[in-house]
Amino acid sequence: MASLIRSWIPLLILQSFLVAIAFGSKEAEEFSEALLLKPLPDRKVLAHFHFENRAPPSNSHGRHHHLFPKAISQLVQKFRVKEMELSFTQGRWNHEHWGGFDPLSSMNAKPVGVELWAVFDVPQSQVDTSWKNLTHALSGLFCASINFLESSTSYAAPTWGFGTNSDKLRYGSLPREAVCTENLTPWLKLLPCRDKDGISALMNRPSVYRGFYHSQRLHLSTVESGQEGLGSGIVLEQTLTVVLQPETTSVETNMQPSWSLSSLFGRKVVGSCVLAKSSNVYLQLEGRLGHESKNVDTEIEAHKLWKNADFDLSLKPDRVLRESSSLLFIFDIDKSSDSEPFDLGLTWKLPSKWSCQQAPLQATRFLMGSGNERGAIAILLKATESQEKLPGRVVTDGRCTIKANIFQIFPWYVKVYYHTLQIFVDQQQKTDCEVLKKINVSPSTDKVSSGMLEMMLELPCEVKSAAISIEYDKGFLHIDEYPPDANQGFDIPSALISFPSHHASLDFQEELSKSPLLSSFKEKSLVRSYTEVLLVPLTTPDFSMPYNVITITCTIFALYFGSLLNVLRRRIGEEERFLKSQGKKTFGLKQLLSRLTAKIRGRPIEPPSSDSPAAQSSFLSSKLIFKIILVAGAAAAWQYFSTDN
Amino acid sequence: MKVLTLVMLLCYSFAFSSGDTTIHTNNWAVLVCTSRFWFNYRHMANTLSLYRTVKRLGIPDERIILMLADDMACNARNEYPAQVFNNENHKLNLYGDNVEVDYRGYEVTVENFLRVLTGRHENAVPRSKRLLSDEGSHILLYMTGHGGDEFLKFQDAEELQSHDLADAVKQMKEKRRFKELMIMVDTCQAATLFNQLQSPDVLAIGSSLKGENSYSHHLDSDVGVSVVDRFTYYTLAFFERLNIYDNASLNSLFRSYDPKLLMSTAYYRTDLYQPHLAEVPVTNFFGSVMETLHTDSVYKAFSSKTSNNKINSEMPLNQLSEHDELQKANIQNDELKTEKQKCPYTQMRVDLHKKLEKLENVDTVVNLGIAVMLLVVMVSSSLL
């Protein structure tokens, strides 16, 4: 027996060794970090942090990871999340100046507040339970009140209007959620290097939150391994998009402001995160191709790209890539160190102007009507300048059309009348069948569920403007359903306008690049834009009404009974007599004066009043005794009755 | 003799069994700012100052429940985004880089507050939002906001009454959610909020007496509002001088409040709290300082803190000589108990126990007992 075991031991060792090799050779967890900087036409600078963390399929069931955050992996395992996106945003993306037709804006321009959507991999009946539990878990993880999305009045199940077709999709947004340091910190804690090292060390909280727009996004998707017994892999993508205003001293208004990383963030990059597979900084300059030669083979030509008459870069880029309309400088930050920190700067020498590509139609939304009873919501789509140049037009039956999807959630207290839906194209009312290709409505139920509207419009290509209006009645809430600041009004979440036939992508034509940021730009993404959040003032009760009623009633009672008693009880003659006797005693000076005048005039002094002080005192004392007896009697009666009970 | 024994037994069973044998194992803090709106900036600054203090003195983030009713740091009116100051010199950013807010905005309600205290949550509520204290926990409960006679306003919409607070504390005590609880309230007429408290091991301190207001300390003209309240300001002034190893006593904290500076009279309710305040270090509540006892053998359990390892306000906690500790380690637990409990009641209890063990026919005693009880009930009912 012993010999048998002895003969097995080397075999076992060999086997374990082989297993180790097999596991080692398998795809490992990968993390990469990137920062994209982009000057914007309106003298601002966009900084887009991009972190990607990939966990390959494994059979550890989320119990063990090297780089991947365990909290997220357990979340995915427990609630069986197939795909999920959570974003925290403050500020509104300026589609006109910051772009509306590139992957960056279509993915990172998010509605104000918190937006969460998730697709689950559970039976249809359990989706709502999973959603509820997920919102609670996320609220604990990210220090936000995401758990308010658990109630069925705040989320919806879009079918096709959202862009992701699944019947296990849930979508909800909280427009009034505050976004601050406490949300960013747990988000940063998911990164292997946190905010201690690498690109994320730039995130100085005051600089980030001083910006015009900041949106922190977390997107995760599972990748099925296809193998039996293995779980699914997870791809976690974390992005932070900030639009900052560089401080300038120059007076010239047409001159673009110069900036550096340290002037934008107050910090520099000292070394990359050692756990990251790649850590790059990109600088994208748009509209820079007109006066550049196409071939940049020679060293001098390349040098011209980053140090020329227009602008200067403080560091030499490692590579330069070009796209149809923009240049991309790539910097590796591996070489930077404590002694030589990476501090990229851009100095403009000449005034320069360019514009960003815009979505085919620009959407705004507003309220109509007045008063606290009813109103109307209108969505206005305006053609942009770049509309004609864009690809993605659909020509059917000889007619050129633009497709636009509108997805909108209405809270139940905004009671929308769907039959009042009106569509105007170039100020002319159109019947539904002309432009409306598809519509899906799920009406709201009071205090149970929110309403949802999905529409697909097909507008002619030469359209200048299109308007959609729908009327609603304002509902009443129960007194304890009002938030503490009810007088501020109630928010209607942003509507989502997407263009299903338009896809944005940036292809830098580099096959070698395996940067997750560039490959995510390369993927065709749906062009979408969110509208403003609407603030609807609802009738609010006078919360202090009960107190007011009590106070007013008491005042009226006091006035009534007080004056009545005064009239009934007052004995004017007696009071006058009392006052006279008082006057005798107190006004010594007056008496003296009167005596003096009497003496001068030679008349005798007026006799004192008829009431003798003794009689008065006896009267007073009898009154006092009566009062005491009355009080004692009342007290005794009270005592008797109260003890009897 | 038997009847007498039985009566004593009955008395004993009705008496409250004082099982104060658990030792202090962990510290928790619940910090609540109940005021909404920008002009109440100072209340958030108060709470965050306390948050910073207890964190500095050793309570980790997962044992702090922080409730902030509004977002001041990233408020549109804040000149200094992501920063909150409690002093106009702006030396200290209270919001820092690592703040964990557990309940914020509309979530700060009386209901959620009472749920946190009593631990009655929905199943889905994550651990970070729960007060997972146990019978060895010392809890600091700090509240600030606008209040009045026996109430504290939550977000200008709801009120927490002194009865609600007392009930919650009572429930906590019954559920053994704390060993000792310290309630600190900075609001107008704070003392009235403690009127209904009855549970033992509760220490309460309020910023003002009934009829008194609690005032703000100073205005920061850059921020545009008052940034801190007087009571909290002087509490912090006391704590800023301390580090985790200092052994200032609660008494010295209480003595540091000067009614002239506070413009109100700080109030302490100590009648529910047995230990002498001069011997309790402030870090029992405002920090997390664990005693380390060196033992020769592993896994030796200490049933209770002995009275002689308590410190006074001058002597530091960690000055206990190693010799003492070794001695203590060697003493058997039972001996410790008997040595400590020398009061007549426990003596009587022990005698009773011994007598009970000597009894042979227990059944007859039980029967007799029931008969005596019936008799007593009959007599008492006929008398009434």
Side-chain angles (χ1 to χ4, degrees), chain B residues 106-163:
Chain B
Y106 297 138
E107 276 186 295
V108 182
T109 56
V110 173
E111 184 192 328
N112 277 343
F113 173 71
L114 294 178
R115 278 184 190 280
V116 166
L117 288 190
T118 53
R120 296 163 68 164
H121 290 284
E122 269 183 72
N123 286 337
V125 172
R127 282 175 71 89
S128 65
K129 288 185 160 187
R130 292 170 187 245
L131 179 72
L132 298 165
S133 57
D134 54 37
E135 53 192 325
S137 305
H138 280 190
I139 302 180
L140 168 73
L141 171 60
Y142 175 84
M143 291 189 278
T144 178
H146 291 285
D149 192 1
E150 302 214 8
F151 71 86
L152 173 67
K153 281 205 289 184
F154 269 65
Q155 304 214 15
D156 262 5
E158 291 175 294
E159 283 162 14
L160 174 82
Q161 301 226 337
S162 57
H163 289 85

Side-chain angles (χ1 to χ4, degrees), chain A residues 270-290:
Chain A
V270 281
S272 59
C273 172
V274 285
L275 296 168
K277 196 181 152 227
S278 71
S279 43
N280 294 316
V281 173
Y282 302 90
L283 175 69
Q284 190 188 356
L285 291 180
E286 284 201 12
R288 293 272 112 212
L289 221 60

Side-chain angles (χ1 to χ4, degrees), chain A residues 487-541:
Chain A
N487 291 310
Q488 196 188 332
F490 291 75
D491 290 319
I492 300 182
S494 296
L496 170 67
I497 320 287
S498 53
F499 302 96
S501 51
H502 292 80
H503 291 277
S505 69
L506 282 179
D507 194 357
F508 287 99
Q509 289 148 8
E510 205 204 28
E511 301 304 318
L512 299 168
S513 162
K514 280 181 188 136
S515 160
L517 176 66
L518 294 189
S519 52
S520 79
F521 281 173
K522 216 171 190 174
E523 282 169 24
K524 290 198 166 181
S525 58
L526 190 65
V527 175
R528 52 174 76 185
S529 66
Y530 287 90
T531 63
E532 301 91 335
V533 169
L534 291 179
L535 191 63
V536 181
L538 288 191
T539 32
T540 47

Side-chain angles (χ1 to χ4, degrees), chain B residues 31-50 66-70 72 84-85 94 142-147 152-153 155-156 186-188 214-216 225-230 232:
Chain B
L31 312 172
V32 192
C33 157
T34 64
S35 299
R36 202 176 183 81
F37 306 120
W38 172 247
F39 53 84
N40 292 319
Y41 183 95
R42 63 179 189 280
H43 291 150
M44 187 166 149
N46 287 347
T47 317
L48 284 169
S49 314
L50 252 290
L66 182 60
M67 301 173 104
L68 298 177
D70 205 349
M72 300 295 174
V84 174
F85 300 107
L94 296 171
Y142 175 84
M143 291 189 278
T144 178
H146 291 285
L152 173 67
K153 281 205 289 184
Q155 304 214 15
D156 262 5
D186 187 352
T187 146
C188 299
S214 292
Y215 292 99
S216 64
V225 282
S226 302
V227 286
V228 71
D229 277 324
R230 281 177 178 267
T232 309

Side-chain angles (χ1 to χ4, degrees), chain A residues 88 132-133 136-137 139-141 143-145 147-148 150 176-183 185 189 195 205-206 209-210 267 483-485 547, chain B residues 36-37 61 71 73-74 79-83 93 95-102 104-107 122 124-126 128-129 155-157 159:
Chain A
F88 294 87
K132 185 186 161 187
N133 292 332
H136 274 284
S139 89
L141 202 57
C143 293
S145 347
N147 52 320
F148 283 131
E150 65 151 339
R176 204 173 284 179
E177 188 69 22
V179 182
C180 208
T181 315
E182 68 261 30
N183 305 116
T185 306
K189 281 180 182 170
D195 58 345
R205 311 299 193 276
Y209 291 107
R210 191 171 285 127
R267 292 180 188 180
D485 51 354
Y547 308 103
Chain B
R36 202 176 183 81
F37 306 120
D61 243 334
D71 166 50
C74 290
E79 257 280 289
Y80 306 92
Q83 294 170 82
N93 172 20
Y95 224 57
D97 275 358
N98 200 1
V99 59
E100 253 181 50
V101 188
D102 299 297
R104 63 173 197 178
Y106 297 138
E107 276 186 295
E122 269 183 72
V125 172
S128 65
K129 288 185 160 187
Q155 304 214 15
D156 262 5
E159 283 162 14

Side-chain angles (χ1 to χ4, degrees), chain A residues 151-170:
Chain A
S151 85
S152 55
T153 54
S154 56
Y155 69 87
T159 49
W160 46 266
F162 185 65
T164 312
N165 293 346
S166 168
D167 53 350
K168 288 164 186 173
L169 169 73
R170 293 292 179 272

Side-chain angles (χ1 to χ4, degrees), chain B residues 237-256:
Chain B
F238 175 83
F239 279 108
E240 283 305 306
R241 284 182 274 121
L242 297 184
N243 67 31
I244 196 163
Y245 303 110
D246 278 325
N247 272 302
S249 67
L250 277 179
N251 217 15
S252 61
L253 169 67
F254 291 175
R255 266 189 280 121
S256 74

